Amino acid sequence: MSNNLGVFIEDIRSVDRHLAVVNAEETDERVAELLNYFERYAFEVTTAMEVDALPEAFLVLSDGERCLAAIGVGTLHDYLIDALDAESFPPRYADDPRVVGAVQTFLTALDENVYSVECEDKISLLEISRVVEEQAGHEGAGTLHTGCQRLSRLRDERETWDTYRRIANSGVDVNLYGIPDWRPPEIDSITAFGDDEGDHVTDLWFVVYEADDDEASGALLAREVEPGRYTGFWTFRPERVREVAAYIQSDLQSELARLDGE
């Protein structure tokens, strides 16, 4: 059944995207590292552009006609590449909503593009997951579906489990999916579904939030195609989110066992 949910990945057709490097020196290693990072997408890349009005090196993402997002090379490099090297987000950004917002805006502009990442490069996926989760907690209504492959990941990642408890307490119905190697405590508004045989969600990582306000909806869906390698997409288009959420509720849940809390 996980293959059926994976059909959503196969159905996505990447929107034509262009990445322009603005005001960067040819020898700027940060640009080279960022372009290497974005090789997972089928971008047409333009370099050596110069715009006098911009004081520093920028990346500009467009669809060929419209500018979708722009961000400073230094900001994005520090947040993504340095974070990958350190295996955690730079703590100096934790209290700077402007930086976090700029990075999130750039990443969310990549929706409806199928990507592939190795296990060590999952930070962009974690960031999008956080965007979706934070939106759910802010709205305090609607339904959040999260597939984490194995439910024990929530036990082992205390901060993630605390986030889901907070979201549930805000008024969101939270549904969790995975191999039942751990049973979450019984909490109002949190329901866990176990994949006893490992046939349905063991290779899937998804965070799908269907909001009461369509514009607040978002989804990330990834499939582990081989150990440590994921492919999938994220989207903030309400119609696509509704399609994925409807499949989870009508088809996937019926194949899994509803778990009682500990």
Side-chain angles (χ1 to χ4, degrees):
M1 189 64 65
S2 63
N3 289 334
N4 289 338
L5 187 56
V7 164
F8 288 100
I9 299 173
E10 306 304 325
D11 283 347
I12 289 291
R13 295 295 180 264
S14 294
V15 178
D16 190 22
R17 300 288 168 89
H18 302 262
L19 188 65
V21 182
V22 182
N23 287 355
E25 299 288 339
E26 292 184 6
T27 57
D28 193 334
E29 294 184 0
R30 300 173 305 170
V31 173
E33 290 179 322
L34 286 171
L35 292 182
N36 181 65
Y37 180 85
F38 286 117
E39 279 185 355
R40 68 200 67 184
Y41 302 103
F43 287 150
E44 177 183 335
V45 178
T46 303
T47 59
M49 295 178 59
E50 294 185 6
V51 179
D52 293 337
L54 297 177
E56 60 178 311
F58 269 77
L59 296 181
V60 178
L61 183 68
S62 72
D63 61 6
E65 297 181 357
R66 297 173 300 130
C67 175
L68 303 176
I71 192 168
V73 165
T75 297
L76 190 61
H77 184 275
D78 287 351
Y79 200 86
L80 288 182
I81 307 303
D82 285 357
L84 288 171
D85 291 342
E87 298 183 352
S88 64
F89 290 105
R92 64 181 178 278
Y93 289 146
D95 298 321
D96 192 339
R98 293 173 301 174
V99 172
V100 174
V103 174
Q104 289 180 348
T105 296
F106 194 84
L107 291 175
T108 55
L110 300 176
D111 77 334
E112 298 280 316
N113 274 259
V114 173
Y115 57 78
S116 292
V117 297
E118 303 298 327
C119 186
E120 62 268 20
D121 292 335
K122 290 195 303 182
I123 282 187
S124 61
L125 306 189
L126 293 171
E127 179 65 16
I128 292 295
S129 296
R130 287 171 180 152
V131 171
V132 176
E133 292 161 357
E134 288 172 4
Q135 190 65 30
H138 175 74
E139 292 292 310
T143 303
L144 180 67
H145 303 278
T146 294
C148 50
Q149 297 183 285
R150 311 183 71 89
L151 290 175
S152 61
R153 288 188 173 182
L154 296 174
R155 176 199 62 200
D156 298 338
E157 297 174 6
R158 185 70 184 182
E159 182 178 350
T160 301
W161 174 240
D162 288 343
T163 295
Y164 280 103
R165 289 197 304 174
R166 175 179 55 80
I167 292 171
N169 289 334
S170 76
V172 177
D173 290 325
V174 176
N175 295 317
L176 307 173
Y177 307 83
I179 292 176
D181 53 351
W182 175 67
R183 293 193 176 215
E186 187 171 346
I187 297 174
D188 289 345
S189 298
I190 294 182
T191 304
F193 294 86
D195 183 1
D196 291 319
E197 303 300 324
D199 295 331
H200 305 287
V201 298
T202 184
D203 60 344
L204 292 173
W205 171 12
F206 57 89
V207 181
V208 180
Y209 174 52
E210 189 173 22
D212 290 351
D213 175 5
D214 277 350
E215 296 306 314
S217 296
L220 175 144
L221 173 59
R223 181 169 58 196
E224 191 172 20
V225 293
E226 58 186 60
R229 184 171 180 268
Y230 292 82
T231 188
F233 70 95
W234 59 74
T235 182
F236 296 90
R237 305 183 187 212
E239 64 279 5
R240 180 73 68 178
V241 176
R242 283 196 298 269
E243 289 178 348
V244 177
Y247 173 81
I248 292 173
Q249 291 181 289
S250 65
D251 292 73
L252 184 60
Q253 286 185 3
S254 66
E255 298 290 337
L256 305 179
R258 181 167 176 154
L259 304 178
D260 295 327
E262 290 186 341

